């Protein structure tokens, strides 16, 4: 038992961080780590940036905090205008929060209040995907489709209607088009069972995060979902807490397919790891309806505070000034090529998928049948530990609803260089070589021996 009063999740003791610079972190023992996952896919600009520090200090010298009902502040207005511009005006209004979970909670409440204001209070259901992740607070957790996170709280959350999303790696429908048709048909059927006039919104991650290992949608699917929302009169919410603010090579991931939502959430990279800030973006008509009927009954103490917004604005300006969306695309192509080369080397790398600098690597025991490794083998944790031993940070999770399957995310800061990307791939290759030798090969041999002896699990 640790002597620290802090508690988070069970696991081995962690090294104490000393300092960071660029895409690297060092612990107090002097060991260097390449931050191959940008912390929690949030430190989009790397560590130790003087320009972000200067912007924060300048704002601290003016004022760190004002309450949103007492003062307007210039950084909040400027950051809101920047976010609207980033959507090319498709989202016209902004509500600031401090985290991704808060952004999703805000979307839930604004969408519900919109329909109450319209006299459609019978609309009480949300539709979301399984698997998915939308946050850890109770409302956002109700949208989340990830069994271990949901299980302890099922009786005290308002769960959404869960439907399947596209899974182009594991689909068995005979082709991409057939798969999309089936998924959309199942979504329609679930809505019709609940009653189309009871649905508030469909909530989707355009690019999945930790719960799916960067699983992708496509244009046909999003257009189909948009049609369903329009048909049933409900809203479309995109959760871009993780994949937004440039992570996929465009400001927002939905812009890869040209299908716009009614509400959009973002956080994580908005503050680039320097200060907590998130946002709900939405169409003006939704806000006008709510404000005309008593206002938005929601808020957080630190929402839109000057220090948070000054930090977010500095991060957005740095991405623009340094042309980092171009670097995301270039380094993303380099990373994809390197990951696919590793896939060709190791048959147990089943799938490599992603966009920009958000890549998922799924591990399978049988690449033909796509059979996952036994859950008790904990490959997702073991590959992460080996990567860390090699000086590389990656982000692990279970692939199949949190119960089985293994994947990890590779999602370095936008500032990573060509040579640093090569170093990331070299360290990952060493970790995967050790995983193959120390874990995978013995495990497959044990399973084969047990099968030959007629032993079943």
């Amino acid at each position: 038992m640790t002597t620290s009063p802090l508690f988070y999740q069970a696991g081995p003791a962690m090294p104490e961080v000393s300092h960071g610079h660029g895409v690297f972190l060092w612990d107090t023992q002097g060991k260097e780590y390449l931050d191959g996952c940008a912390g929690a896919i949030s430190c989009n600009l790397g560590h130790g940036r003087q320009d972000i520090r200067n912007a924060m200090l300048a704002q601290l010298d003016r004022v760190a905090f004002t309450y949103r009902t007492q003062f307007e502040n210039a950084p909040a207005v400027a950051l809101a205008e920047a976010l609207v511009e980033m959507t090319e005006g498709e989202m016209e209004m902004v509500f600031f929060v401090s985290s991704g979970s808060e952004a999703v909670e805000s979307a839930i409440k604004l969408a519900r209040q919109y329909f109450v204001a319209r006299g459609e209070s019978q609309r009480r259901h949300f539709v979301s995907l399984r698997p998915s992740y939308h946050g850890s607070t109770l409302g956002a957790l109700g949208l989340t489709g990830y069994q271990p996170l949901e299980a302890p709280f099922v009786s005290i959350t308002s769960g959404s209607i869960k439907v399947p999303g596209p899974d182009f790696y594991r689909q068995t429908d005979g082709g991409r088009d057939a798969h999309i048709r089936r998924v959309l048909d199942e979504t329609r059927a679930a809505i019709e069972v609940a009653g189309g006039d009871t649905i508030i919104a469909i909530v989707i991650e355009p690019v999945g995060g930790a719960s799916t290992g960067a699983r992708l949608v496509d244009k046909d699917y999003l257009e189909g979902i948009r049609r369903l929302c329009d048909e049933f009169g409900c809203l479309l919410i995109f959760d871009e807490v993780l994949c937004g603010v440039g992570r996929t090579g465009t400001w927002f991931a939905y812009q890869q397919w040209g299908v716009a939502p009614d509400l959009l959430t973002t956080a994580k990279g908005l503050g680039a790891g320097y200060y907590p800030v998130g946002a709900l973006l939405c169409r003006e008509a939704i806000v006008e309806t709510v404000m005309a009927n008593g206002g938005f009954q929601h808020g957080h103490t630190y929402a839109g505070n000057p220090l948070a917004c000054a930090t977010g604005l500095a991060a957005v300006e740095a991405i623009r000034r340094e042309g980092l969306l171009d670097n995301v695309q270039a380094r993303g192509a380099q990373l994809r090529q390197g990951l696919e080369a590793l896939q060709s080397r190791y048959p147990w790398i089943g799938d490599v998928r992603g966009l920009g600098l958000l890549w998922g690597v799924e591990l399978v025991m049988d690449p033909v049948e796509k059979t996952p490794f036994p859950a008790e083998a904990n490959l997702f944790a073991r590959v992460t530990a080996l990567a860390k031993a090699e000086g590389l940070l990656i982000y692990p999770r279970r692939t199949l609803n949190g119960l089985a399957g293994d994947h990890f995310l590779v999602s370095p800061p936008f500032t990573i260089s060509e040579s640093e990307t090569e170093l990331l791939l070299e360290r990952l290759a060493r970790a995967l070589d050790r995983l193959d030798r120390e874990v995978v090969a013995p495990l497959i041999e044990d399973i084969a021996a047990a099968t030959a002896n007629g032993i079943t699990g």
Side-chain angles (χ1 to χ4, degrees):
M1 180 71 179
T2 178
T3 58
S4 170
L6 293 170
F7 76 98
Y8 299 109
Q9 294 177 326
M14 295 178 291
E16 182 179 338
V17 69
S18 168
H19 62 285
H21 183 74
V23 299
F24 296 98
L25 293 161
W26 287 265
D27 66 25
T28 52
Q29 302 303 306
K31 183 176 174 64
E32 176 195 274
Y33 305 85
L34 197 160
D35 191 355
C37 54
I41 307 90
S42 52
C43 298
N44 286 359
L45 299 179
H47 305 275
R49 287 188 63 111
Q50 191 67 35
D51 56 343
I52 306 294
R53 178 180 183 272
N54 290 344
M56 296 177 75
L57 287 174
Q59 187 59 50
L60 279 169
D61 286 343
R62 290 189 289 271
V63 62
F65 176 83
T66 57
Y67 192 52
R68 69 187 186 283
T69 65
Q70 297 167 344
F71 290 97
E72 190 61 272
N73 71 82
V77 174
L79 181 56
E81 289 173 345
L83 286 167
V84 170
E85 183 180 345
M86 288 154 62
T87 72
E88 299 180 347
E90 289 175 312
M91 302 289 104
E92 300 147 311
M93 304 298 290
V94 178
F95 186 91
F96 286 118
V97 293
S98 299
S99 72
S101 293
E102 288 180 10
V104 172
E105 293 281 345
S106 301
I108 290 171
K109 293 177 74 174
L110 183 65
R112 167 62 180 173
Q113 200 176 339
Y114 169 71
F115 282 114
V116 170
R118 285 166 52 100
E120 298 181 62
S121 59
Q122 81 283 356
R123 291 189 182 268
R124 59 189 183 276
H125 296 306
F126 290 87
V127 177
S128 61
L129 309 185
R130 181 175 297 282
S132 63
Y133 180 73
H134 296 288
S136 59
T137 52
L138 289 180
L141 188 59
L143 299 180
T144 292
Y146 202 76
Q147 200 274 342
L149 299 178
E150 299 170 82
F153 310 106
V154 168
S155 63
I156 61 170
T157 56
S158 298
S160 62
I161 298 167
K162 302 296 193 301
V163 298
D167 184 349
F168 299 119
Y169 173 55
R170 293 181 174 274
Q171 65 90 10
T172 57
D173 296 300
R176 195 180 190 93
D177 292 345
H179 178 56
I180 292 299
R181 284 196 301 272
R182 179 181 64 79
V183 169
L184 290 173
D185 286 346
E186 290 190 28
T187 303
R188 170 185 287 279
I191 290 172
E192 289 175 342
V193 167
D197 65 346
T198 72
I199 306 300
I200 295 173
I202 301 176
V203 187
I204 290 170
E205 300 167 278
V207 183
S211 65
T212 71
R215 189 184 293 178
L216 299 171
V217 297
D218 75 354
K219 184 177 180 66
D220 289 341
Y221 171 75
L222 290 182
E223 287 178 341
I225 289 293
R226 178 75 265 180
R227 286 194 297 271
L228 286 175
C229 290
D230 295 343
E231 177 183 346
F232 290 108
C234 64
L235 301 173
L236 177 58
I237 300 174
F238 284 166
D239 180 348
E240 296 215 22
V241 166
L242 186 147
C243 63
V245 197
R247 175 54 62 182
T248 65
T250 50
W251 280 116
F252 294 103
Y254 81 83
Q255 293 164 332
Q256 300 275 347
W257 299 284
V259 179
D262 301 300
L263 300 93
L264 181 146
T265 62
T266 197
K268 285 192 179 288
L270 184 57
Y274 287 86
Y275 198 89
V277 58
L280 165 65
L281 287 69
C282 60
R283 298 187 186 275
E284 187 174 15
I286 295 170
V287 173
E288 287 179 342
T289 299
V290 170
M291 301 306 281
N293 285 270
F296 189 22
Q297 303 303 316
H298 178 65
H300 301 280
T301 298
Y302 283 87
N305 76 81
L307 183 56
C309 293
T311 306
L313 184 62
V316 170
E317 289 176 345
I319 294 171
R320 284 180 171 153
R321 182 175 63 250
E322 297 174 22
L324 290 179
L325 294 184
D326 292 337
N327 195 57
V328 169
Q329 294 171 25
R331 300 288 71 78
Q334 180 186 0
L335 192 56
R336 175 178 185 169
Q337 184 177 28
L339 293 173
E340 289 178 345
L342 291 171
Q343 181 182 25
S344 68
R345 186 188 309 178
Y346 302 107
W348 39 265
I349 296 182
D351 195 28
V352 170
R353 53 185 177 254
L355 282 172
L357 283 176
L358 177 55
W359 289 90
V361 179
E362 183 169 344
L363 312 180
V364 293
M365 191 167 63
D366 183 334
V368 176
E369 298 296 328
K370 302 171 184 174
T371 309
F373 284 94
E376 60 271 18
N378 290 317
L379 251 69
F380 72 104
R382 298 178 81 170
V383 68
T384 303
L386 289 169
K388 195 170 186 179
E390 295 293 338
L392 174 65
L393 303 178
I394 56 177
Y395 202 93
R397 278 295 186 270
R398 293 199 186 279
T399 306
L400 304 175
N401 197 28
L403 299 174
D406 303 274
H407 70 255
F408 58 87
L409 293 179
V410 181
S411 52
F414 301 174
T415 53
I416 193 168
S417 68
E418 182 177 0
S419 61
E420 289 166 342
T421 303
E422 284 302 316
L423 180 60
L424 184 159
L425 290 164
E426 288 168 10
R427 293 185 180 184
L428 180 59
R430 291 202 298 270
L432 294 177
D433 192 53
R434 289 184 60 184
L435 184 75
D436 187 50
R437 186 174 64 253
E438 300 172 18
V439 181
V440 174
L443 179 61
I444 290 176
E445 287 177 6
D446 288 346
I447 292 173
T451 301
N453 291 327
I455 301 172
T456 59

